[in-house]
Amino acid sequence: MKSVKIILICGNKNSVVKMSFIKNLEKVFQENSNPEDAVAMENYMKNHFSFYGIKTENRRLIFKTIWKEHQKEVAEKARNIAKELFSKSQRELHYCGIEILMKELKKKYQKEDISLIEFLIVTNSWWDSVDVIAKYLLGEYLIQFPDETEKVIEKFSNSENMWLNRSAILFQLGYKQKTDADLLFALCQKHSDSNEFFIRKAIGWALREYAKTNPSAVIRFVETNNLKPLSEKEALKNIV
């Protein structure tokens, strides 16, 4: 593993005022950038985003270290920091924004946070960010505010934005026995005619995950609905 260079800008009475969390994070990410790896990562993501070229293990090590140095700032301004990180070009910063909210908002969501979650889903959208947001932010938010589920999922599933549709299908990943099967099946059926690869894949993935809890229900649903071949294949992949 490539060694990482972490330089923290600490403030005290004899030094300059310390950098903000984001400025410090950007500085150290830039110092640890790898142009060769950046090209490979950008190609993997179909050149939708720029990368510093920092692989996941090193990125998280740097991120954790700087987050600890700015713990109070991040805790107090988590929402604003996440939005600002999403306004940046480099994909690693987007990942950091999501991970901050996963920790700082867990079981501490406010009802108006659904606007932030929607913003993150439709901003710099691609499967690598949307899938994490759907499961760990939208999914956790609706566990905390179950009465908001019908309104939020109806809005997302009716949207012309494909990534909101995908998030509505996937938000119950990890719910297991708490899955609202009727809602899951209704969403899969609603979007079953979609020709969007990411929707067909999402239907199969959501059904495959629920099949770990209730395989017979998934089999019945697949047998009685005309799903796209990819969705059906993915749904039944692990069922013997």
Side-chain angles (χ1 to χ4, degrees):
M1 181 181 75
K2 177 187 173 183
S3 62
V4 296
K5 179 182 179 183
I6 303 177
I7 302 175
L8 300 180
I9 310 300
C10 300
N12 57 54
K13 64 181 180 180
N14 296 317
S15 68
V16 296
V17 176
K18 73 177 179 181
M19 284 186 176
S20 70
F21 167 75
I22 292 177
K23 291 296 184 184
N24 206 352
L25 185 64
E26 288 180 304
K27 180 178 185 295
V28 182
F29 272 1
Q30 186 60 52
E31 291 169 348
N32 288 275
S33 62
N34 184 315
E36 184 177 340
D37 285 342
V39 170
M41 295 162 85
E42 288 163 7
N43 289 338
Y44 181 67
M45 288 297 166
K46 308 295 185 184
N47 294 301
H48 287 294
F49 311 103
S50 298
F51 280 81
Y52 287 107
I54 305 173
K55 295 184 178 180
T56 302
E57 187 176 356
N58 283 345
R59 175 183 66 77
R60 286 180 173 159
L61 173 62
I62 296 168
F63 177 48
K64 182 178 179 180
T65 304
I66 296 177
W67 187 348
K68 185 176 181 180
E69 174 71 11
H70 295 267
Q71 208 163 19
K72 186 172 184 292
E73 178 191 354
V74 174
E76 292 176 351
K77 303 177 181 178
R79 294 168 176 85
N80 290 336
I81 287 173
K83 287 191 76 170
E84 186 173 345
L85 287 172
F86 254 70
S87 74
K88 305 290 184 178
S89 299
Q90 290 83 2
R91 194 59 164 167
E92 290 95 337
L93 296 173
H94 306 163
Y95 299 151
C96 292
I98 295 169
E99 290 170 14
I100 285 169
L101 296 180
M102 285 169 58
K103 179 178 179 181
E104 296 294 344
L105 299 191
K106 188 174 178 65
K107 297 183 179 180
K108 295 185 289 185
Y109 287 97
Q110 300 170 4
K111 277 198 175 180
E112 57 267 28
D113 284 333
I114 192 59
S115 296
L116 172 60
I117 293 170
E118 182 175 352
F119 167 83
L120 296 176
I121 292 171
V122 301
T123 303
N124 291 314
S125 308
W126 200 240
W127 63 266
D128 58 326
S129 61
V130 169
D131 294 357
V132 177
I133 296 166
K135 180 178 180 179
Y136 293 103
L137 297 184
L138 179 61
E140 291 288 337
Y141 172 89
L142 292 175
I143 285 175
Q144 186 174 330
F145 297 112
D147 291 343
E148 296 294 300
T149 301
E150 182 178 356
K151 178 177 69 175
V152 169
I153 297 306
E154 182 177 6
K155 178 183 178 183
F156 284 15
S157 67
N158 288 335
S159 173
E160 294 183 0
N161 184 287
M162 182 265 291
W163 298 108
L164 289 175
N165 299 162
R166 181 175 168 96
S167 298
I169 295 168
L170 296 179
F171 85 95
Q172 294 190 91
L173 291 175
Y175 275 28
K176 298 181 180 179
Q177 291 86 355
K178 296 180 180 179
T179 300
D180 183 336
D182 290 339
L183 176 58
L184 171 62
F185 293 149
L187 290 166
C188 291
Q189 186 178 47
K190 178 177 182 177
H191 293 282
S192 61
D193 290 333
S194 175
N195 289 317
E196 287 281 1
F197 169 82
F198 287 109
I199 296 300
R200 288 180 282 141
K201 192 80 170 178
I203 290 170
W205 183 15
L207 292 173
R208 184 173 73 249
E209 283 298 303
Y210 185 53
K212 296 175 182 178
T213 299
N214 193 342
S216 60
V218 171
I219 292 172
R220 284 195 302 271
F221 177 77
V222 171
E223 288 178 342
T224 56
N225 288 272
N226 188 26
L227 299 180
K228 296 283 188 180
L230 176 61
S231 298
E232 181 173 332
K233 178 184 176 182
E234 290 292 322
L236 301 177
K237 182 180 288 186
N238 296 327
I239 297 178
V240 178

